[in-house]
Amino acid sequence: MPKGPKGEKRPADVIGNAVHVMRIATGEIEEGTPVDDGKDPAAKALGAKGGKARAAGMTPERRAEIARKAAAKRWSGG
């Protein structure tokens, strides 16, 4: 998702961005309010914590292997 000049999240698509601008212009939302992604903040924090712990427990070789497999999947189309 694109980020604004102060790091705030912005809608990625043109229509979503137009709706966001319209809501700001009509006063429906404040410009500084972050867009709610519908996710539980506690769950997001636990997910980030788990990912860091998983990466810390892996060897550099294992991380490289996972990265190679992911790149191969991206470039092969599935």
Side-chain angles (χ1 to χ4, degrees):
M1 177 169 276
K3 299 208 181 269
K6 295 181 183 172
E8 66 275 7
K9 291 184 178 180
R10 298 282 192 205
D13 61 329
V14 176
I15 295 173
N17 195 28
V19 170
H20 186 73
V21 169
M22 181 268 310
R23 288 183 176 157
I24 291 171
T26 59
E28 188 176 331
I29 62 173
E30 293 291 321
E31 187 167 5
T33 58
V35 177
D36 184 23
D37 58 1
K39 296 180 183 175
D40 182 19
K44 286 171 50 176
L46 280 175
K49 183 177 179 184
K52 288 177 186 173
R54 180 173 182 243
M58 278 189 218
T59 64
E61 292 81 15
R62 177 69 177 135
R63 285 196 302 272
E65 177 187 342
I66 291 170
R68 274 193 300 276
K69 285 175 65 176
K73 284 284 187 182
R74 278 193 301 273
W75 287 100
S76 70

Short mmCIF file of all heavy atoms in Angstrom, two decimals:
data_model
loop_
_atom_site.label_atom_id
_atom_site.label_comp_id
_atom_site.label_asym_id
_atom_site.label_seq_id
_atom_site.Cartn_x
_atom_site.Cartn_y
_atom_site.Cartn_z
N MET A 1 0.85 -1.18 0.00
CA MET A 1 0.00 0.00 0.00
C MET A 1 0.89 1.23 0.00
O MET A 1 1.86 1.31 0.74
CB MET A 1 -0.89 -0.03 1.24
CG MET A 1 -1.77 1.19 1.36
SD MET A 1 -3.03 1.05 2.62
CE MET A 1 -4.27 0.20 1.70
N PRO A 2 0.58 2.22 -0.82
CA PRO A 2 1.39 3.44 -0.87
C PRO A 2 1.36 4.19 0.46
O PRO A 2 0.40 4.11 1.21
CB PRO A 2 0.73 4.26 -1.97
CG PRO A 2 -0.13 3.33 -2.72
CD PRO A 2 -0.48 2.23 -1.80
N LYS A 3 2.41 4.91 0.71
CA LYS A 3 2.49 5.69 1.94
C LYS A 3 2.59 7.17 1.58
O LYS A 3 3.18 7.54 0.58
CB LYS A 3 3.69 5.27 2.76
CG LYS A 3 3.61 3.82 3.18
CD LYS A 3 4.34 3.60 4.45
CE LYS A 3 4.29 2.14 4.85
NZ LYS A 3 3.20 1.80 5.66
N GLY A 4 1.97 8.00 2.41
CA GLY A 4 2.01 9.44 2.21
C GLY A 4 3.32 10.02 2.70
O GLY A 4 4.21 9.30 3.17
N PRO A 5 3.47 11.33 2.67
CA PRO A 5 4.74 11.95 3.05
C PRO A 5 5.11 11.76 4.52
O PRO A 5 6.27 11.80 4.87
CB PRO A 5 4.52 13.43 2.73
CG PRO A 5 3.06 13.61 2.61
CD PRO A 5 2.48 12.29 2.20
N LYS A 6 4.13 11.52 5.36
CA LYS A 6 4.43 11.31 6.78
C LYS A 6 4.34 9.84 7.15
O LYS A 6 4.27 9.50 8.32
CB LYS A 6 3.45 12.12 7.63
CG LYS A 6 3.62 13.62 7.45
CD LYS A 6 2.66 14.38 8.31
CE LYS A 6 2.80 15.88 8.04
NZ LYS A 6 1.78 16.65 8.71
N GLY A 7 4.32 8.93 6.17
CA GLY A 7 4.29 7.51 6.42
C GLY A 7 2.90 6.93 6.59
O GLY A 7 2.75 5.74 6.83
N GLU A 8 1.85 7.76 6.45
CA GLU A 8 0.50 7.24 6.62
C GLU A 8 0.09 6.42 5.40
O GLU A 8 0.57 6.64 4.30
CB GLU A 8 -0.51 8.38 6.87
CG GLU A 8 -0.72 9.31 5.70
CD GLU A 8 0.29 10.45 5.61
OE1 GLU A 8 1.26 10.49 6.37
OE2 GLU A 8 0.08 11.30 4.75
N LYS A 9 -0.78 5.44 5.65
CA LYS A 9 -1.23 4.58 4.56
C LYS A 9 -2.22 5.32 3.68
O LYS A 9 -3.05 6.08 4.16
CB LYS A 9 -1.86 3.31 5.12
CG LYS A 9 -0.86 2.40 5.78
CD LYS A 9 -1.50 1.13 6.23
CE LYS A 9 -0.46 0.21 6.84
NZ LYS A 9 -1.04 -1.03 7.29
N ARG A 10 -2.14 5.09 2.39
CA ARG A 10 -3.05 5.68 1.42
C ARG A 10 -3.65 4.55 0.58
O ARG A 10 -2.99 3.53 0.35
CB ARG A 10 -2.30 6.63 0.48
CG ARG A 10 -1.68 7.81 1.17
CD ARG A 10 -2.74 8.84 1.47
NE ARG A 10 -2.09 10.08 1.89
CZ ARG A 10 -2.67 10.97 2.64
NH1 ARG A 10 -3.89 10.79 3.05
NH2 ARG A 10 -2.03 12.06 2.98
N PRO A 11 -4.88 4.72 0.09
CA PRO A 11 -5.46 3.69 -0.78
C PRO A 11 -4.61 3.49 -2.04
O PRO A 11 -4.12 4.46 -2.62
CB PRO A 11 -6.84 4.24 -1.13
CG PRO A 11 -7.14 5.23 -0.05
CD PRO A 11 -5.82 5.79 0.39
N ALA A 12 -4.47 2.24 -2.47
CA ALA A 12 -3.62 1.94 -3.61
C ALA A 12 -4.31 2.17 -4.94
O ALA A 12 -3.67 2.50 -5.93
CB ALA A 12 -3.15 0.48 -3.53
N ASP A 13 -5.63 2.01 -4.99
CA ASP A 13 -6.31 2.15 -6.27
C ASP A 13 -6.89 3.56 -6.44
O ASP A 13 -7.08 4.29 -5.48
CB ASP A 13 -7.41 1.10 -6.42
CG ASP A 13 -8.49 1.22 -5.35
OD1 ASP A 13 -8.16 1.66 -4.23
OD2 ASP A 13 -9.64 0.89 -5.64
N VAL A 14 -7.19 3.92 -7.66
CA VAL A 14 -7.65 5.28 -7.99
C VAL A 14 -9.02 5.56 -7.36
O VAL A 14 -9.22 6.63 -6.78
CB VAL A 14 -7.71 5.45 -9.53
CG1 VAL A 14 -8.28 6.81 -9.89
CG2 VAL A 14 -6.33 5.28 -10.13
N ILE A 15 -9.93 4.62 -7.46
CA ILE A 15 -11.28 4.85 -6.93
C ILE A 15 -11.24 4.95 -5.40
O ILE A 15 -11.87 5.83 -4.81
CB ILE A 15 -12.24 3.73 -7.39
CG1 ILE A 15 -12.40 3.81 -8.90
CG2 ILE A 15 -13.58 3.84 -6.69
CD1 ILE A 15 -13.17 2.68 -9.52
N GLY A 16 -10.47 4.07 -4.76
CA GLY A 16 -10.33 4.13 -3.31
C GLY A 16 -9.73 5.45 -2.85
O GLY A 16 -10.15 6.02 -1.85
N ASN A 17 -8.77 5.95 -3.60
CA ASN A 17 -8.14 7.22 -3.28
C ASN A 17 -9.14 8.37 -3.46
O ASN A 17 -9.20 9.29 -2.64
CB ASN A 17 -6.91 7.46 -4.14
CG ASN A 17 -6.05 8.57 -3.61
OD1 ASN A 17 -6.05 8.83 -2.41
ND2 ASN A 17 -5.34 9.23 -4.48
N ALA A 18 -9.96 8.30 -4.52
CA ALA A 18 -10.96 9.34 -4.77
C ALA A 18 -11.99 9.37 -3.64
O ALA A 18 -12.38 10.44 -3.16
CB ALA A 18 -11.65 9.11 -6.10
N VAL A 19 -12.42 8.21 -3.19
CA VAL A 19 -13.38 8.14 -2.08
C VAL A 19 -12.75 8.70 -0.81
O VAL A 19 -13.39 9.44 -0.06
CB VAL A 19 -13.86 6.68 -1.88
CG1 VAL A 19 -14.65 6.54 -0.59
CG2 VAL A 19 -14.68 6.22 -3.07
N HIS A 20 -11.47 8.37 -0.59
CA HIS A 20 -10.77 8.88 0.60
C HIS A 20 -10.69 10.41 0.57
O HIS A 20 -10.96 11.07 1.58
CB HIS A 20 -9.38 8.25 0.66
CG HIS A 20 -8.62 8.57 1.88
ND1 HIS A 20 -8.91 8.03 3.12
CD2 HIS A 20 -7.55 9.38 2.09
CE1 HIS A 20 -8.07 8.50 4.01
NE2 HIS A 20 -7.23 9.33 3.41
N VAL A 21 -10.32 10.97 -0.58
CA VAL A 21 -10.23 12.43 -0.72
C VAL A 21 -11.60 13.07 -0.51
O VAL A 21 -11.72 14.11 0.15
CB VAL A 21 -9.64 12.80 -2.10
CG1 VAL A 21 -9.78 14.28 -2.37
CG2 VAL A 21 -8.19 12.38 -2.18
N MET A 22 -12.65 12.45 -1.06
CA MET A 22 -14.01 12.98 -0.90
C MET A 22 -14.42 13.00 0.57
O MET A 22 -15.00 13.97 1.05
CB MET A 22 -15.01 12.12 -1.72
CG MET A 22 -16.45 12.56 -1.65
SD MET A 22 -17.48 11.80 -0.36
CE MET A 22 -17.19 10.08 -0.52
N ARG A 23 -14.08 11.94 1.29
CA ARG A 23 -14.43 11.88 2.72
C ARG A 23 -13.68 12.94 3.52
O ARG A 23 -14.23 13.52 4.44
CB ARG A 23 -14.15 10.49 3.26
CG ARG A 23 -15.15 9.47 2.77
CD ARG A 23 -14.93 8.12 3.37
NE ARG A 23 -15.97 7.21 2.93
CZ ARG A 23 -15.83 5.90 2.90
NH1 ARG A 23 -14.71 5.35 3.31
NH2 ARG A 23 -16.82 5.15 2.48
N ILE A 24 -12.44 13.20 3.16
CA ILE A 24 -11.68 14.27 3.82
C ILE A 24 -12.30 15.62 3.50
O ILE A 24 -12.49 16.46 4.38
CB ILE A 24 -10.19 14.23 3.39
CG1 ILE A 24 -9.52 12.98 3.96
CG2 ILE A 24 -9.46 15.48 3.87
CD1 ILE A 24 -8.13 12.73 3.41
N ALA A 25 -12.65 15.84 2.22
CA ALA A 25 -13.19 17.12 1.78
C ALA A 25 -14.55 17.43 2.42
O ALA A 25 -14.84 18.58 2.73
CB ALA A 25 -13.32 17.15 0.26
N THR A 26 -15.36 16.40 2.63
CA THR A 26 -16.69 16.61 3.22
C THR A 26 -16.65 16.60 4.74
O THR A 26 -17.67 16.84 5.37
CB THR A 26 -17.68 15.53 2.73
OG1 THR A 26 -17.18 14.24 3.10
CG2 THR A 26 -17.89 15.63 1.24
N GLY A 27 -15.50 16.33 5.32
CA GLY A 27 -15.39 16.33 6.77
C GLY A 27 -15.84 15.04 7.42
O GLY A 27 -15.95 14.95 8.64
N GLU A 28 -16.08 14.01 6.62
CA GLU A 28 -16.52 12.73 7.16
C GLU A 28 -15.42 12.08 8.01
O GLU A 28 -15.68 11.46 9.02
CB GLU A 28 -16.93 11.81 6.02
CG GLU A 28 -17.59 10.52 6.46
CD GLU A 28 -18.06 9.69 5.29
OE1 GLU A 28 -18.39 10.26 4.24
OE2 GLU A 28 -18.10 8.46 5.43
N ILE A 29 -14.17 12.23 7.55
CA ILE A 29 -13.02 11.75 8.31
C ILE A 29 -11.98 12.85 8.37
O ILE A 29 -11.97 13.76 7.55
CB ILE A 29 -12.39 10.47 7.70
CG1 ILE A 29 -11.87 10.73 6.29
CG2 ILE A 29 -13.35 9.32 7.72
CD1 ILE A 29 -11.08 9.57 5.71
N GLU A 30 -11.12 12.78 9.37
CA GLU A 30 -10.02 13.73 9.48
C GLU A 30 -8.87 13.24 8.61
O GLU A 30 -8.68 12.05 8.41
CB GLU A 30 -9.55 13.82 10.94
CG GLU A 30 -10.57 14.44 11.87
CD GLU A 30 -10.78 15.92 11.60
OE1 GLU A 30 -9.80 16.62 11.32
OE2 GLU A 30 -11.95 16.35 11.66
N GLU A 31 -8.08 14.17 8.11
CA GLU A 31 -6.99 13.79 7.21
C GLU A 31 -5.94 12.96 7.92
O GLU A 31 -5.37 12.05 7.34
CB GLU A 31 -6.33 15.03 6.60
CG GLU A 31 -5.32 14.67 5.54
CD GLU A 31 -4.89 15.86 4.72
OE1 GLU A 31 -5.29 16.98 5.02
OE2 GLU A 31 -4.14 15.64 3.78
N GLY A 32 -5.69 13.21 9.16
CA GLY A 32 -4.64 12.48 9.88
C GLY A 32 -5.05 11.12 10.39
O GLY A 32 -4.22 10.37 10.84
N THR A 33 -6.33 10.76 10.32
CA THR A 33 -6.77 9.48 10.86
C THR A 33 -6.31 8.35 9.96
O THR A 33 -6.47 8.41 8.74
CB THR A 33 -8.31 9.42 11.01
OG1 THR A 33 -8.90 9.66 9.74
CG2 THR A 33 -8.81 10.43 12.00
N PRO A 34 -5.73 7.30 10.53
CA PRO A 34 -5.28 6.18 9.71
C PRO A 34 -6.48 5.37 9.20
O PRO A 34 -7.52 5.30 9.84
CB PRO A 34 -4.43 5.35 10.67
CG PRO A 34 -4.93 5.70 12.02
CD PRO A 34 -5.40 7.13 11.93
N VAL A 35 -6.31 4.78 8.03
CA VAL A 35 -7.35 3.93 7.47
C VAL A 35 -7.36 2.63 8.25
O VAL A 35 -6.33 1.98 8.42
CB VAL A 35 -7.06 3.66 5.98
CG1 VAL A 35 -8.10 2.73 5.39
CG2 VAL A 35 -7.00 4.96 5.22
N ASP A 36 -8.54 2.22 8.75
CA ASP A 36 -8.66 0.99 9.53
C ASP A 36 -8.59 -0.20 8.58
O ASP A 36 -9.37 -0.31 7.64
CB ASP A 36 -9.99 0.99 10.29
CG ASP A 36 -10.13 -0.22 11.19
OD1 ASP A 36 -9.09 -0.82 11.55
OD2 ASP A 36 -11.28 -0.58 11.51
N ASP A 37 -7.64 -1.10 8.82
CA ASP A 37 -7.50 -2.25 7.94
C ASP A 37 -8.36 -3.43 8.41
O ASP A 37 -8.34 -4.49 7.79
CB ASP A 37 -6.04 -2.67 7.82
CG ASP A 37 -5.40 -3.00 9.16
OD1 ASP A 37 -6.09 -2.93 10.19
OD2 ASP A 37 -4.21 -3.33 9.16
N GLY A 38 -9.10 -3.27 9.50
CA GLY A 38 -10.00 -4.31 9.97
C GLY A 38 -9.33 -5.42 10.74
O GLY A 38 -9.95 -6.43 11.03
N LYS A 39 -8.08 -5.26 11.07
CA LYS A 39 -7.35 -6.30 11.79
C LYS A 39 -7.21 -5.92 13.25
O LYS A 39 -7.10 -4.75 13.60
CB LYS A 39 -5.97 -6.52 11.18
CG LYS A 39 -6.05 -7.03 9.76
CD LYS A 39 -4.67 -7.23 9.18
CE LYS A 39 -4.76 -7.68 7.73
NZ LYS A 39 -3.44 -7.77 7.12
N ASP A 40 -7.19 -6.92 14.09
CA ASP A 40 -7.03 -6.72 15.52
C ASP A 40 -5.58 -6.30 15.81
O ASP A 40 -4.64 -7.00 15.42
CB ASP A 40 -7.35 -8.01 16.26
CG ASP A 40 -7.25 -7.88 17.76
OD1 ASP A 40 -7.30 -6.75 18.27
OD2 ASP A 40 -7.14 -8.92 18.44
N PRO A 41 -5.38 -5.13 16.47
CA PRO A 41 -4.00 -4.68 16.74
C PRO A 41 -3.19 -5.69 17.55
O PRO A 41 -1.99 -5.85 17.33
CB PRO A 41 -4.19 -3.39 17.53
CG PRO A 41 -5.57 -2.93 17.22
CD PRO A 41 -6.37 -4.16 16.91
N ALA A 42 -3.84 -6.40 18.48
CA ALA A 42 -3.12 -7.39 19.28
C ALA A 42 -2.64 -8.54 18.40
O ALA A 42 -1.53 -9.05 18.55
CB ALA A 42 -4.00 -7.90 20.40
N ALA A 43 -3.48 -8.97 17.46
CA ALA A 43 -3.10 -10.05 16.56
C ALA A 43 -1.95 -9.62 15.65
O ALA A 43 -1.05 -10.41 15.36
CB ALA A 43 -4.30 -10.49 15.74
N LYS A 44 -1.99 -8.36 15.18
CA LYS A 44 -0.91 -7.86 14.34
C LYS A 44 0.41 -7.84 15.11
O LYS A 44 1.46 -8.21 14.58
CB LYS A 44 -1.24 -6.46 13.83
CG LYS A 44 -2.30 -6.46 12.74
CD LYS A 44 -2.80 -5.10 12.36
CE LYS A 44 -1.80 -4.08 12.04
NZ LYS A 44 -2.36 -2.81 11.58
N ALA A 45 0.35 -7.43 16.38
CA ALA A 45 1.57 -7.38 17.19
C ALA A 45 2.13 -8.78 17.42
O ALA A 45 3.34 -8.99 17.32
CB ALA A 45 1.28 -6.71 18.53
N LEU A 46 1.25 -9.74 17.69
CA LEU A 46 1.72 -11.12 17.89
C LEU A 46 2.30 -11.69 16.61
O LEU A 46 3.29 -12.42 16.64
CB LEU A 46 0.57 -12.00 18.38
CG LEU A 46 0.24 -11.90 19.86
CD1 LEU A 46 -0.99 -12.73 20.18
CD2 LEU A 46 1.41 -12.35 20.71
N GLY A 47 1.70 -11.37 15.47
CA GLY A 47 2.21 -11.86 14.20
C GLY A 47 3.60 -11.34 13.92
O GLY A 47 4.48 -12.07 13.46
N ALA A 48 3.81 -10.06 14.19
CA ALA A 48 5.13 -9.47 13.97
C ALA A 48 6.16 -10.08 14.92
O ALA A 48 7.30 -10.35 14.54
CB ALA A 48 5.07 -7.96 14.16
N LYS A 49 5.74 -10.31 16.15
CA LYS A 49 6.64 -10.89 17.15
C LYS A 49 7.03 -12.31 16.74
O LYS A 49 8.19 -12.70 16.84
CB LYS A 49 5.93 -10.89 18.51
CG LYS A 49 6.77 -11.39 19.64
CD LYS A 49 5.99 -11.28 20.94
CE LYS A 49 6.77 -11.80 22.11
NZ LYS A 49 5.99 -11.78 23.34
N GLY A 50 6.06 -13.08 16.26
CA GLY A 50 6.33 -14.46 15.85
C GLY A 50 7.25 -14.54 14.65
O GLY A 50 8.12 -15.40 14.57
N GLY A 51 7.07 -13.62 13.70
CA GLY A 51 7.92 -13.62 12.51
C GLY A 51 9.36 -13.31 12.86
O GLY A 51 10.30 -13.92 12.32
N LYS A 52 9.57 -12.37 13.77
CA LYS A 52 10.93 -12.03 14.19
C LYS A 52 11.57 -13.20 14.92
O LYS A 52 12.75 -13.51 14.72
CB LYS A 52 10.92 -10.79 15.08
CG LYS A 52 10.61 -9.52 14.33
CD LYS A 52 10.55 -8.33 15.27
CE LYS A 52 10.09 -7.09 14.52
NZ LYS A 52 9.86 -5.97 15.42
N ALA A 53 10.79 -13.88 15.77
CA ALA A 53 11.32 -15.02 16.52
C ALA A 53 11.67 -16.16 15.56
O ALA A 53 12.70 -16.83 15.73
CB ALA A 53 10.31 -15.49 17.55
N ARG A 54 10.85 -16.37 14.56
CA ARG A 54 11.11 -17.43 13.58
C ARG A 54 12.40 -17.13 12.81
O ARG A 54 13.24 -18.01 12.61
CB ARG A 54 9.94 -17.56 12.61
CG ARG A 54 10.14 -18.62 11.56
CD ARG A 54 8.88 -18.82 10.73
NE ARG A 54 9.10 -19.88 9.77
CZ ARG A 54 9.08 -19.74 8.46
NH1 ARG A 54 8.82 -18.56 7.93
NH2 ARG A 54 9.29 -20.75 7.66
N ALA A 55 12.55 -15.88 12.38
CA ALA A 55 13.75 -15.51 11.63
C ALA A 55 15.00 -15.62 12.50
O ALA A 55 16.07 -16.03 12.02
CB ALA A 55 13.61 -14.09 11.09
N ALA A 56 14.89 -15.25 13.78
CA ALA A 56 16.05 -15.32 14.66
C ALA A 56 16.48 -16.76 14.92
O ALA A 56 17.66 -17.03 15.14
CB ALA A 56 15.73 -14.63 15.99
N GLY A 57 15.54 -17.69 14.88
CA GLY A 57 15.86 -19.09 15.13
C GLY A 57 16.39 -19.84 13.93
O GLY A 57 16.80 -20.98 14.04
N MET A 58 16.39 -19.22 12.76
CA MET A 58 16.85 -19.89 11.54
C MET A 58 18.30 -19.57 11.25
O MET A 58 18.80 -18.51 11.59
CB MET A 58 16.03 -19.38 10.33
CG MET A 58 14.73 -20.03 10.15
SD MET A 58 14.08 -19.48 8.57
CE MET A 58 12.38 -19.34 8.99
N THR A 59 18.92 -20.50 10.56
CA THR A 59 20.28 -20.25 10.11
C THR A 59 20.23 -19.38 8.86
O THR A 59 19.22 -19.37 8.16
CB THR A 59 21.00 -21.57 9.77
OG1 THR A 59 20.33 -22.17 8.65
CG2 THR A 59 21.02 -22.53 10.94
N PRO A 60 21.29 -18.66 8.56
CA PRO A 60 21.31 -17.85 7.34
C PRO A 60 21.10 -18.71 6.08
O PRO A 60 20.46 -18.26 5.12
CB PRO A 60 22.70 -17.22 7.34
CG PRO A 60 23.11 -17.20 8.77
CD PRO A 60 22.48 -18.42 9.38
N GLU A 61 21.58 -19.94 6.11
CA GLU A 61 21.41 -20.82 4.96
C GLU A 61 19.93 -21.15 4.75
O GLU A 61 19.43 -21.18 3.63
CB GLU A 61 22.21 -22.12 5.13
CG GLU A 61 23.71 -21.93 5.10
CD GLU A 61 24.29 -21.45 6.44
OE1 GLU A 61 23.59 -21.53 7.47
OE2 GLU A 61 25.43 -20.98 6.43
N ARG A 62 19.21 -21.42 5.84
CA ARG A 62 17.78 -21.75 5.75
C ARG A 62 16.99 -20.54 5.25
O ARG A 62 16.09 -20.68 4.42
CB ARG A 62 17.27 -22.21 7.12
CG ARG A 62 15.79 -22.51 7.16
CD ARG A 62 15.43 -23.75 6.37
NE ARG A 62 14.00 -24.00 6.52
CZ ARG A 62 13.17 -24.30 5.53
NH1 ARG A 62 13.64 -24.45 4.31
NH2 ARG A 62 11.90 -24.48 5.74
N ARG A 63 17.31 -19.34 5.74
CA ARG A 63 16.63 -18.13 5.27
C ARG A 63 16.88 -17.93 3.77
O ARG A 63 15.97 -17.58 3.02
CB ARG A 63 17.09 -16.90 6.05
CG ARG A 63 16.50 -16.84 7.45
CD ARG A 63 16.64 -15.46 8.05
NE ARG A 63 18.02 -14.99 8.13
CZ ARG A 63 18.84 -15.21 9.14
NH1 ARG A 63 18.43 -15.90 10.18
NH2 ARG A 63 20.06 -14.73 9.12
N ALA A 64 18.11 -18.18 3.31
CA ALA A 64 18.44 -18.04 1.90
C ALA A 64 17.67 -19.06 1.07
O ALA A 64 17.18 -18.75 -0.02
CB ALA A 64 19.94 -18.20 1.68
N GLU A 65 17.54 -20.27 1.59
CA GLU A 65 16.79 -21.32 0.88
C GLU A 65 15.32 -20.91 0.72
O GLU A 65 14.75 -21.04 -0.37
CB GLU A 65 16.89 -22.63 1.67
CG GLU A 65 16.10 -23.77 1.06
CD GLU A 65 16.09 -25.00 1.97
OE1 GLU A 65 16.96 -25.10 2.87
OE2 GLU A 65 15.21 -25.85 1.76
N ILE A 66 14.72 -20.40 1.78
CA ILE A 66 13.33 -19.95 1.72
C ILE A 66 13.19 -18.79 0.74
O ILE A 66 12.24 -18.75 -0.05
CB ILE A 66 12.83 -19.55 3.13
CG1 ILE A 66 12.72 -20.80 4.01
CG2 ILE A 66 11.50 -18.83 3.06
CD1 ILE A 66 12.47 -20.51 5.47
N ALA A 67 14.13 -17.87 0.75
CA ALA A 67 14.09 -16.73 -0.16
C ALA A 67 14.21 -17.17 -1.62
O ALA A 67 13.52 -16.66 -2.49
CB ALA A 67 15.19 -15.73 0.18
N ARG A 68 15.09 -18.17 -1.88
CA ARG A 68 15.24 -18.69 -3.24
C ARG A 68 13.94 -19.33 -3.73
O ARG A 68 13.50 -19.12 -4.86
CB ARG A 68 16.38 -19.71 -3.30
CG ARG A 68 17.74 -19.11 -3.51
CD ARG A 68 18.76 -20.17 -3.89
NE ARG A 68 18.92 -21.19 -2.86
CZ ARG A 68 19.72 -21.07 -1.79
NH1 ARG A 68 20.42 -19.99 -1.63
NH2 ARG A 68 19.80 -22.04 -0.91
N LYS A 69 13.31 -20.13 -2.85
CA LYS A 69 12.06 -20.78 -3.22
C LYS A 69 10.97 -19.75 -3.50
O LYS A 69 10.19 -19.89 -4.46
CB LYS A 69 11.61 -21.74 -2.12
CG LYS A 69 12.40 -23.03 -2.06
CD LYS A 69 12.02 -23.89 -0.88
CE LYS A 69 10.60 -24.39 -0.97
NZ LYS A 69 10.26 -25.32 0.13
N ALA A 70 10.90 -18.71 -2.68
CA ALA A 70 9.89 -17.66 -2.87
C ALA A 70 10.12 -16.93 -4.19
O ALA A 70 9.16 -16.66 -4.92
CB ALA A 70 9.91 -16.69 -1.69
N ALA A 71 11.37 -16.61 -4.48
CA ALA A 71 11.68 -15.91 -5.74
C ALA A 71 11.34 -16.79 -6.93
O ALA A 71 10.79 -16.31 -7.93
CB ALA A 71 13.16 -15.51 -5.77
N ALA A 72 11.63 -18.08 -6.83
CA ALA A 72 11.31 -18.99 -7.93
C ALA A 72 9.80 -19.05 -8.16
O ALA A 72 9.34 -19.06 -9.31
CB ALA A 72 11.86 -20.38 -7.63
N LYS A 73 9.03 -19.07 -7.09
CA LYS A 73 7.56 -19.09 -7.21
C LYS A 73 7.06 -17.81 -7.85
O LYS A 73 6.17 -17.83 -8.69
CB LYS A 73 6.90 -19.25 -5.84
CG LYS A 73 6.95 -20.63 -5.30
CD LYS A 73 5.95 -21.50 -6.01
CE LYS A 73 5.90 -22.85 -5.34
NZ LYS A 73 4.99 -23.75 -6.02
N ARG A 74 7.63 -16.66 -7.44
CA ARG A 74 7.18 -15.37 -8.00
C ARG A 74 7.46 -15.31 -9.49
O ARG A 74 6.63 -14.85 -10.26
CB ARG A 74 7.89 -14.21 -7.29
CG ARG A 74 7.26 -13.82 -5.97
CD ARG A 74 7.79 -12.49 -5.50
NE ARG A 74 9.23 -12.47 -5.31
CZ ARG A 74 9.84 -12.83 -4.18
NH1 ARG A 74 9.14 -13.22 -3.16
NH2 ARG A 74 11.14 -12.77 -4.08
N TRP A 75 8.63 -15.73 -9.89
CA TRP A 75 9.04 -15.59 -11.28
C TRP A 75 8.48 -16.68 -12.18
O TRP A 75 8.41 -16.52 -13.39
CB TRP A 75 10.56 -15.52 -11.40
CG TRP A 75 11.07 -14.21 -10.90
CD1 TRP A 75 11.61 -13.95 -9.69
CD2 TRP A 75 11.01 -12.95 -11.57
NE1 TRP A 75 11.91 -12.63 -9.56
CE2 TRP A 75 11.55 -11.97 -10.72
CE3 TRP A 75 10.55 -12.55 -12.82
CZ2 TRP A 75 11.67 -10.65 -11.05
CZ3 TRP A 75 10.66 -11.22 -13.16
CH2 TRP A 75 11.22 -10.28 -12.29
N SER A 76 8.09 -17.82 -11.60
CA SER A 76 7.55 -18.89 -12.44
C SER A 76 6.05 -18.73 -12.66
O SER A 76 5.46 -19.43 -13.46
CB SER A 76 7.83 -20.25 -11.81
OG SER A 76 7.04 -20.44 -10.64
N GLY A 77 5.42 -17.83 -11.91
CA GLY A 77 3.98 -17.58 -12.09
C GLY A 77 3.12 -18.52 -11.27
O GLY A 77 1.93 -18.64 -11.51
N GLY A 78 3.64 -19.14 -10.26
CA GLY A 78 2.77 -19.95 -9.43
C GLY A 78 3.46 -21.06 -8.85
O GLY A 78 3.30 -21.90 -8.22
#
